[in-house]
Amino acid sequence: MIGIIDYGMGNLFSVSKALERLNAAYFISENKEELLQADALILPGVGAFKDAMEKLKETGLSEMIHTFVENGKPLLGICLGMQLLFESSEENGLSEGLKLLPGKVIRFSGISKDGTAYKVPHMGWNKLHFKKDSLVTPNMDDDFVYFVHSYYADTKEEVIIASCSYDKEVPAVVGRNNVYGMQFHPEKSSKLGMHLLSNFANLIQKG
């Protein structure tokens, strides 16, 4: 069963409804002991990085997430939840992240190298380009998914599974070992997004 982490800053409704459409068993909880018993965890997120990390630390959920990952079970961060997986963020001042993936989260500058302005936040449909296969992205075809974000992960090439182009190459699906992240909203991204969520849910059966 998949546990959705409730720390007060996630779009629990849309994620849970997507899992229901996939007939994937899930529960929503803020209880550390319950969440540790899950077969996989989803860390959703909407809002500011610093506020989210404060809530995770205050509730002890950050420590629970590390224990869960150390136990070898799959974790998926969505949108802000993906950004929280990294070492730090510059949003509202430098803040430490969960440090499960290498790199930092930085803001789109809004100005291209040639001096042309571009819109921040990055909002709407953009094409996903798969760079390599993973357990959640086997033989996937490039297609469009839905983004809403002003910050992006500046990370190592080795953890980038898929990216999109928005003035620069933007990591869109990341992963290392049993930790995965999706910058876009898979639950709002039509067939491809649902396919990716389904692949994550199926990791339970493969584990």
Side-chain angles (χ1 to χ4, degrees), residues 4 10 32 35 48 67 85 110 134-135 148 166 169 180 183-184 187-188 192 200 205:
I4 302 175
K32 300 188 294 287
L35 291 165
T67 300
L85 302 177
S134 74
L135 291 177
V148 183
Y166 195 68
E169 182 185 34
Y180 299 94
Q183 179 62 74
F184 53 94
E187 76 280 9
K188 299 179 180 179
L192 177 57
F200 177 75
Q205 300 174 2

Side-chain angles (χ1 to χ4, degrees), residues 88-103:
S88 65
S89 172
E90 66 177 25
E91 184 177 6
N92 296 331
L94 187 65
S95 301
E96 289 189 349
L98 291 168
K99 301 181 180 181
L100 295 170
L101 295 175

Side-chain angles (χ1 to χ4, degrees), residues 39-194:
D39 300 300
L41 285 181
I42 292 179
L43 177 64
V46 177
F49 187 104
K50 186 174 184 179
D51 294 340
M53 278 305 304
E54 286 178 353
K55 287 182 178 293
L56 289 176
K57 289 178 179 178
E58 287 171 1
T59 57
L61 288 170
S62 59
E63 183 178 353
M64 180 279 298
I65 290 170
H66 278 95
T67 300
F68 190 88
V69 170
E70 289 167 4
N71 289 339
K73 299 184 199 179
L75 168 71
L76 172 64
I78 296 176
C79 197
L80 173 61
M82 172 186 134
Q83 296 179 2
L84 295 171
L85 302 177
F86 290 92
E87 294 170 300
S88 65
S89 172
E90 66 177 25
E91 184 177 6
N92 296 331
L94 187 65
S95 301
E96 289 189 349
L98 291 168
K99 301 181 180 181
L100 295 170
L101 295 175
K104 59 183 178 180
V105 176
I106 60 179
R107 194 178 193 277
F108 286 109
S109 68
I111 303 293
S112 298
K113 289 182 179 179
D114 62 4
T116 304
Y118 63 91
K119 183 181 178 182
V120 179
H122 172 209
M123 181 183 298
W125 295 87
N126 202 338
K127 194 168 189 178
L128 207 59
H129 301 283
F130 290 95
K131 301 168 71 69
K132 59 185 177 182
D133 284 344
S134 74
L135 291 177
V136 295
T137 61
N139 304 311
M140 303 292 287
D141 294 324
D142 294 354
D143 206 343
F144 287 82
V145 291
Y146 189 77
F147 292 85
V148 183
H149 62 122
S150 298
Y151 292 78
Y152 67 97
D154 181 13
T155 185
K156 294 182 178 180
E157 187 73 20
E158 65 195 51
V159 303
I160 303 175
I161 297 171
S163 63
C164 70
S165 178
Y166 195 68
D167 181 62
K168 57 180 62 64
E169 182 185 34
V170 178
V173 182
V174 296
R176 186 172 65 180
N177 299 325
N178 53 321
V179 177
Y180 299 94
M182 299 179 190
Q183 179 62 74
F184 53 94
H185 289 273
E187 76 280 9
K188 299 179 180 179
S189 296
S190 192
K191 291 182 180 179
L192 177 57
M194 292 300 288

